[in-house]
Amino acid sequence: MKENANKQMVTIGEQFRRVVLLLAALMLTASTTAMAGRRVLFIGDSVTDGGWGRSGGLMKPAAERNQKDLNHIYGHSYMMLCAAHFECLYPEEGLTFVNRGISGDDLSRLEARWQEDAVDLHPDVLSLLVGTNDVSYHLEKHTDERFDVGAWEQRYRHLLDVVRAVNPDVRFMLGTPFAARVGKIGNAADYAERQRLLGELTEAICRIARDYGAVLLRYDELFAAQEQAHPTVPASHWIWDGIHPTAAGHRLMADLWIAKYSDL
């Protein structure tokens, strides 16, 4: 009985996912002129990075990466799947996709390269995913120092303001950080604290998305729902080490991003 209920839940979940993608495709097909010539920038940490530009997984700046090898220009993250989707289905629209995810980045590291890797690229759409490393670096201090979420939120807003000052029409897609109880991260004694802090950053990002009219990408809810829909599948099927998605996880993120892109 329970097994049948689980199967029914999975079937319904899969049907819902397909309907969402179909509706998104129909909406995009009806309004392709609105996205003609857009420059879409993905920026953030290792989840977005995916080893683009033959970085070998190292924290190399964009200038030190191979930007001529189109076989590796996007890396192997959800970003590549999103770019492949639109470039394949809408070749006439002249869309340009750029990956500027850098492994290990937190908000301060992102801020240090923001002019070169965000502002100077003049994006029409900026997709940002950051927060995991901010929490990781804080926890690694092993102190009682409080994480200043308010200051973090203000710095995040400032980065968006800088881009908008150059291009008032820029659209933002803001992703929420996530973690799973697997691997070294999931088995650590501070996992509960990690999730608490990620939750606070997520609340901040939700506020920012509302205030900036941005598209909100709830990756945290996405993975939580997937684990619930597939209770017999280990969490490591989606996020292998506690913070980095597997191929299946990246596909989930790409599907959500593609569906939400129609909201721009």
Side-chain angles (χ1 to χ4, degrees), residues 5-131:
N6 288 336
K7 288 182 178 179
Q8 185 178 15
M9 181 185 299
V10 172
T11 300
I12 294 174
E14 178 61 21
Q15 289 176 344
F16 177 76
R17 187 181 73 86
R18 291 176 179 177
V19 169
V20 168
L21 289 176
L22 177 59
L23 289 175
L26 291 173
M27 292 176 67
L28 285 169
T29 300
S31 59
T32 54
T33 55
M35 63 180 181
R38 274 180 175 172
R39 176 181 288 266
V40 184
L41 171 65
F42 288 74
I43 193 165
D45 52 37
S46 58
V47 177
T48 301
D49 185 335
W52 74 269
R54 288 186 176 275
S55 72
L58 301 178
M59 299 165 63
K60 290 183 178 181
E64 296 180 12
R65 301 193 182 206
N66 187 331
Q67 298 185 35
K68 296 182 179 179
D69 180 358
L70 298 186
N71 195 42
H72 299 86
I73 193 64
Y74 292 150
H76 54 258
S77 72
Y78 70 101
M79 181 275 167
M80 185 273 288
L81 297 175
C82 293
H85 173 86
F86 287 101
E87 290 183 336
C88 176
L89 295 182
Y90 309 102
E92 294 86 5
E93 298 307 321
L95 293 166
T96 299
F97 289 87
V98 181
N99 191 344
R100 285 298 182 270
I102 300 293
S103 181
D105 269 13
D106 58 357
L107 198 58
S108 65
R109 288 169 173 80
L110 202 63
E111 188 175 40
R113 64 185 178 89
W114 196 247
Q115 183 67 39
E116 178 181 1
D117 284 353
V119 181
D120 291 349
L121 293 178
H122 302 287
D124 298 297
V125 177
L126 188 151
S127 179
L128 173 59
L129 175 58
V130 69

